């Protein structure tokens, strides 16, 4: 019960990685406050809306009086330059960057001693696939926001980020090329991320702040060239 009497806030905690993070905190004794757009027995609201963030923060503080951990996990919209509108791009940034900033600001007077913020970025903060601009911009921004907050909140709150790679939220066991292509030999699952979140919030990580930790099975450290080590580029008629 490492986190007994602690209060953890998890955005986007209704499913996937966020749900796993919330469940692991609960197993470790923490009280968990979740906000998500999906209907459920938690605070339901759109993280892109300023008033929603203010109502959520007020609700948490009125109930518990303080916050120990803020986990900014909510997923921004993913659309590419061909189809993403101006409004959609702003929405992605609102969910993925503005909300984490504003929640950090709203909770700032109420963070307890030893508090920590963990922002969930993505390995897309350093590499891309086509047509992912809105998501990639949001994830790159939250990685940068992390070290800015770490400096501004020095001595009060430790702030770190995690960049997941391929995480299968259904815990599918992959075999063949999907697994072998990854230096770790498998596809990731939500526990790989949740375990690191809890570590970064613990006293064991007391000397870690402003850091980004990429949990991607080693994929972003792997150089890939056509014809090298069995990798082959197959072009289509559209390329």
């Amino acid at each position: 019960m490492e986190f007994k009497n602690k209060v953890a806030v998890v955005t986007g905690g209704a499913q996937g990685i966020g749900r796993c993070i919330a469940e692991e905190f609960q197993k470790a004794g923490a009280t968990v406050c979740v906000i998500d757009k999906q209907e459920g027995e938690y605070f339901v609201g759109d993280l892109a809306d300023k008033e929603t963030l203010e109502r959520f923060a007020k609700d948490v503080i009125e109930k518990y009086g303080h916050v120990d951990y803020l986990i900014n996990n909510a997923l921004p919209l993913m659309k590419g330059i061909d189809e993403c509108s101006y409004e959609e791009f702003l929405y992605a940034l609102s969910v993925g960057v503005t909300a984490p900033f504003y929640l950090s600001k709203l909770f700032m007077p109420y963070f307890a001693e030893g508090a920590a913020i963990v922002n969930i970025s993505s390995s897309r903060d350093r590499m891309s696939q086509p047509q992912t601009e809105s998501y990639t911009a949001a994830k790159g921004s939250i990685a940068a926001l992390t070290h800015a907050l770490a400096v501004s909140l020095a001595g009060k709150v430790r702030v770190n980020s995690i960049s997941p790679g391929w995480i299968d939220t259904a815990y599918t066991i992959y075999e063949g090329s999907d697994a072998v292509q990854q230096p770790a030999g498998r596809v990731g699952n939500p526990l790989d991320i949740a375990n690191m979140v809890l570590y970064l919030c613990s006293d064991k990580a007391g000397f870690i702040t402003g850091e980004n930790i990429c949990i991607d099975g080693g994929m972003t450290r792997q150089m890939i060239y056509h014809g090298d080590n069995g990798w082959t580029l197959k072009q289509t008629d559209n390329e």
Side-chain angles (χ1 to χ4, degrees):
M1 303 296 283
E2 183 177 9
F3 296 104
K4 186 178 180 180
N5 299 323
K6 302 295 186 180
V7 177
V9 172
V10 182
T11 72
Q15 58 187 346
I17 293 173
R19 179 175 178 176
C20 183
I21 292 169
E23 290 174 346
E24 291 304 302
F25 266 123
Q26 289 172 336
K27 290 177 186 177
T31 296
V32 181
C33 304
V34 168
I35 179 172
D36 201 291
K37 281 182 67 175
Q38 182 175 305
E39 294 293 331
E41 296 180 357
Y42 39 75
F43 194 99
V44 177
D46 189 343
L47 284 158
D49 180 65
K50 178 175 179 285
E51 291 185 359
T52 296
L53 298 176
E54 292 170 345
R55 287 191 294 106
F56 174 62
K58 182 179 179 182
D59 183 68
V60 171
I61 298 306
E62 285 182 347
K63 287 179 178 176
Y64 306 107
H66 75 281
V67 170
D68 294 281
Y69 314 116
L70 170 60
I71 315 303
N72 291 304
N73 165 79
L75 207 61
L77 177 74
M78 182 188 287
K79 278 197 170 184
I81 194 167
D82 286 354
E83 295 184 355
C84 188
S85 68
Y86 181 87
E87 290 76 17
E88 287 172 326
F89 193 85
L90 285 181
Y91 184 80
L93 295 182
S94 293
V95 172
V97 188
T98 306
F101 165 77
Y102 198 45
L103 285 176
S104 300
K105 183 177 179 69
L106 290 170
F107 287 130
M108 190 164 56
Y110 305 100
F111 279 119
E113 183 178 355
I117 297 171
V118 180
N119 297 320
I120 306 301
S121 181
S122 168
S123 59
R124 294 175 189 271
D125 62 7
R126 68 205 67 190
M127 59 193 297
S128 292
Q129 291 175 306
Q131 303 302 321
T132 61
E133 278 76 13
S134 66
Y135 185 91
T136 299
K139 291 303 187 181
S141 296
I142 199 172
L145 177 65
T146 295
H147 57 73
L149 286 173
V151 174
S152 294
L153 302 181
K156 299 178 182 178
V157 185
R158 291 184 301 103
V159 189
N160 294 288
S161 63
I162 295 172
S163 292
W166 182 357
I167 304 296
D168 190 293
T169 56
Y171 294 87
T172 305
I173 302 299
Y174 289 84
E175 297 178 351
S177 298
D178 285 333
V180 174
Q181 68 178 336
Q182 313 215 32
R186 66 173 176 87
V187 171
N189 64 64
L191 270 174
D192 293 317
I193 309 305
N195 287 336
M196 180 55 71
V197 169
L198 267 66
Y199 172 75
L200 289 173
C201 289
S202 74
D203 293 338
K204 300 182 185 71
F207 198 55
I208 303 175
T209 192
E211 189 58 73
N212 173 272
I213 299 173
C214 188
I215 303 178
D216 70 340
M219 284 296 287
T220 54
R221 295 301 188 187
Q222 184 169 228
M223 297 180 71
I224 299 175
Y225 292 97
H226 171 67
D228 188 22
N229 295 317
W231 293 98
T232 303
L233 173 66
K234 295 182 180 180
Q235 292 184 300
T236 67
D237 293 338
N238 295 326
E239 294 179 329

